[in-house]
Amino acid sequence: MQEYYIGWGTLSLINAGIAQGKNRSGLNWFLLSLLVGPIATLAVVIAEKR
């Protein structure tokens, strides 16, 4: 079960990095990713760069 939390946290950090690369708030995307995980990954990848 601990591996699940580590993976989820790592995914949130990756999403924050992707979001910052697209000129979006890394903190907001990190927090969103903690709540919805892979759905946030899909959203940040699809989102247009600002």
Side-chain angles (χ1 to χ4, degrees), residues 3 7-8 16-17 23-24 31 34 37 39 41-42 44 50:
E3 295 86 11
W8 202 268
N23 295 326
R24 300 185 182 273
L31 296 173
L34 285 176
I39 296 169
T41 303
L42 179 64
V44 76
R50 283 194 205 181

Side-chain angles (χ1 to χ4, degrees), residues 22-46:
K22 292 187 173 196
N23 295 326
R24 300 185 182 273
S25 171
L27 178 60
N28 288 343
W29 280 95
F30 174 77
L31 296 173
L32 181 65
S33 296
L34 285 176
L35 295 174
V36 295
I39 296 169
T41 303
L42 179 64
V44 76
V45 168
I46 291 174

Side-chain angles (χ1 to χ4, degrees), residues 4-20:
Y4 178 77
Y5 293 120
I6 293 170
W8 202 268
T10 303
L11 180 63
S12 296
L13 289 172
I14 291 169
N15 288 347
I18 293 170
Q20 285 182 339

